[in-house]
Amino acid sequence: MRMVTMFSLCVLVLLVVKGTHAITITVNEEELGDQEALKQFVEAKVDALGGSLPPLHNLTSSCSCDKLLLSSLGPATTFQPKVMGIYTMSYTSYNNHPSYRQNYGADYRLYQLPSGWMVGDKRGANTGYVHNPDTIQTCPYLIPSGWLYYSSVHGVWYQDTLVLRCAD
């Protein structure tokens, strides 16, 4: 029995991962011979991906702020004055996120629920006084806006100029 080779094909397939992106690069036999040209070819393909998304912040590396200041220049200061002030990081986390406890006055807590960040009387409670629906950010002081306060007079959540910032 005689075998006839109709064509010869040598292909190198590379899987390149950069950040959260992955591409497959196929290189033909002719391109394998010149290592410098191959290197430039692959680098050009990888550079075309652009920058990967910034990493999500996690509890161990980016929530290094131990004290937070919750403040407002809007109506939240009238409707929820007791929740304003300094919150200190608790020794235990909640839902794999940091939780904070108010230093002075009433014993308010700042914690993350599946629906976002909440300031309430009891850690884990679904009711509270200040809320942010952001469920992505693991460090509450990195959320730039969107904080709401609850008006018990009106029974409604309102947007406000509430600001939560690091106070270390």
Side-chain angles (χ1 to χ4, degrees), residues 62-65 68 100 137 139-144 147 164-166:
S62 61
C63 290
S64 57
C65 191
L68 306 180
Y100 296 83
Q137 188 55 259
C139 300
Y141 56 91
L142 297 175
I143 301 171
W147 291 93
L164 185 66
R165 71 185 104 217
C166 183

Side-chain angles (χ1 to χ4, degrees), residues 31-75:
E31 297 167 323
L32 289 174
D34 185 355
Q35 293 295 312
E36 188 58 35
L38 177 61
K39 180 181 175 190
Q40 290 175 358
F41 177 75
V42 170
E43 285 176 352
K45 292 284 189 183
V46 172
D47 287 343
L49 287 174
S52 61
L53 294 171
L56 290 176
H57 298 285
N58 61 44
L59 179 62
T60 57
S61 67
S62 61
C63 290
S64 57
C65 191
D66 290 330
K67 291 185 181 182
L68 306 180
L69 173 63
L70 179 62
S71 62
S72 172
L73 296 174

Side-chain angles (χ1 to χ4, degrees), residues 1 8 15 19 24 30 38 49-50 66-67 72 82 87 97 106 115 117 131-134 140 148:
M1 179 182 203
S8 173
L15 176 64
T24 302
E30 302 85 43
L38 177 61
L49 287 174
D66 290 330
K67 291 185 181 182
S72 172
K82 293 180 180 180
Y87 287 77
H97 293 84
S115 62
W117 288 90
H131 180 260
N132 191 301
D134 186 302
L148 308 167

Side-chain angles (χ1 to χ4, degrees), residues 142-160:
L142 297 175
I143 301 171
S145 62
W147 291 93
L148 308 167
Y149 72 92
Y150 184 73
S151 167
S152 57
V153 173
H154 303 105
V156 178
W157 288 93
Y158 290 104
Q159 245 186 336
D160 190 77

Side-chain angles (χ1 to χ4, degrees), residues 59 88-101 109-111 123:
L59 179 62
T88 302
M89 187 182 285
S90 300
Y91 293 107
T92 59
S93 63
Y94 183 78
N95 282 343
N96 296 318
H97 293 84
S99 64
Y100 296 83
R101 189 174 187 169
R109 309 296 176 98
L110 171 63
Y111 49 91
R123 187 168 74 168

